[in-house]
Amino acid sequence: KNQVEQSPQSLIILEGKNCTLQCNYTVSPFSNLRWYKQDTGRGPVSLTIMTFSENTKSNGRYTATLDADTKQSSLHITASQLSDSASYICVLHNTDKLIFGTGTRLQVFP
Amino acid sequence: DAGVIQSPRHEVTEMGQEVTLRCKPISGHNSLFWYRQTMMRGLELLIYFNNNVPIDDSGMPEDRFSAKMPNASFSTLKIQPSEPRDSAVYFCASSLGQGAMNTEAFFGQGTRLTVV
């Protein structure tokens, strides 16, 4: 069983709509939880970093939440744009390792 | 800074051949990571270095894989002999510090390896 599971695996939305991506984890303890965006053919780029004591972190239209009790994180994208089409990866920093989820593939259509 | 630089961007090789992937981390970063990404398994950590010293190579799949970091500005990942199942995108990433709570890892653009 993966230590970091993401849902849905893929998602299609229309431009301008909001969406929420989910991340459930079993990693414990951890230093921080990150959301990365990976465009096709490129390396992942960090969107947000939250320590285990933080509940929410925003970066423009991206808002990440963390519930340490339920071991869940979400990434909410507001007013989606075509450029948001990418894979979104939830990553936990455990000691000196990054543990990656398998990602959610988001496609935004006009 | 140009970021993490990997070469080549694409590599196609025949089964059995040696493959060498190269990485130049961001200047001043002292941690370097090699990852492999496939559709089936997502991103997997192969090995990481801190101050040029390999700290954890438990993710290296087999003895066919080896990695070196001769200095702070260069690392290689070698596969010898290569096999079709090694086909994947290989990413190098670097970060500042070891175990720092909010250390961000910066990724290169990856090397897409195809072994035929």
Side-chain angles (χ1 to χ4, degrees):
Chain A
K1 181 173 171 61
N2 292 331
Q3 292 180 288
V4 181
E5 293 196 339
Q6 293 187 242
S7 62
Q9 280 192 326
S10 61
L11 181 63
I12 297 174
I13 62 174
L14 294 177
E15 186 180 14
K17 298 296 186 182
N18 303 335
C19 67
T20 300
L21 314 180
Q22 298 291 343
C23 174
N24 295 340
Y25 61 89
T26 60
V27 177
S28 181
F30 65 92
S31 301
N32 56 65
L33 185 148
R34 312 161 185 221
W35 282 92
Y36 278 84
K37 178 187 179 188
Q38 185 176 18
D39 292 312
T40 300
R42 304 185 72 86
V45 175
S46 178
L47 291 175
T48 63
I49 299 178
M50 290 186 292
T51 66
F52 60 85
S53 60
E54 293 180 293
N55 299 120
T56 186
K57 183 69 70 76
S58 291
N59 178 3
R61 295 181 297 104
Y62 300 102
T63 299
T65 64
L66 174 61
D67 186 333
D69 291 331
T70 61
K71 295 187 176 180
Q72 293 181 327
S73 176
S74 66
L75 180 69
H76 186 74
I77 304 175
T78 304
S80 61
Q81 300 177 358
L82 299 179
S83 60
D84 293 331
S85 296
S87 290
Y88 292 83
I89 306 172
C90 175
V91 185
L92 270 78
H93 185 185
N94 171 252
T95 59
D96 292 322
K97 289 186 180 180
L98 296 180
I99 303 172
F100 289 80
T102 52
T104 292
R105 175 70 184 161
L106 174 66
Q107 292 178 276
V108 181
F109 285 172
Chain B
D1 198 313
V4 176
I5 299 173
Q6 292 186 246
S7 63
R9 288 295 311 277
H10 303 273
E11 176 81 30
V12 180
T13 190
E14 289 186 342
M15 182 174 65
Q17 296 298 306
E18 177 180 294
V19 175
T20 299
L21 311 181
R22 297 173 175 79
C23 175
K24 181 180 186 304
I26 292 174
S27 177
H29 283 190
N30 54 5
S31 290
L32 182 140
F33 309 82
W34 281 102
Y35 291 91
R36 178 172 66 179
Q37 187 176 40
T38 61
M39 286 291 291
M40 292 297 295
R41 301 171 68 92
L43 272 161
E44 301 173 284
L45 176 66
L46 300 177
I47 184 172
Y48 87 92
F49 296 84
N50 183 256
N51 293 324
N52 312 338
V53 176
I55 303 300
D56 183 353
D57 64 354
S58 59
M60 296 286 263
E62 302 171 30
D63 291 344
R64 297 184 297 106
F65 286 69
S66 63
K68 294 182 180 180
M69 192 165 186
N71 57 62
S73 59
F74 184 66
S75 177
T76 60
L77 178 68
K78 185 176 294 186
I79 308 172
Q80 166 63 19
S82 59
E83 296 182 3
R85 60 193 170 117
D86 300 331
S87 298
V89 181
Y90 290 81
F91 285 102
C92 176
S94 71
S95 68
L96 184 62
Q98 178 186 22
M101 287 192 62
N102 292 316
T103 299
E104 180 176 350
F106 293 84
F107 286 77
Q109 297 207 52
T111 294
R112 180 174 293 278
L113 173 65
T114 304
V115 183
V116 298

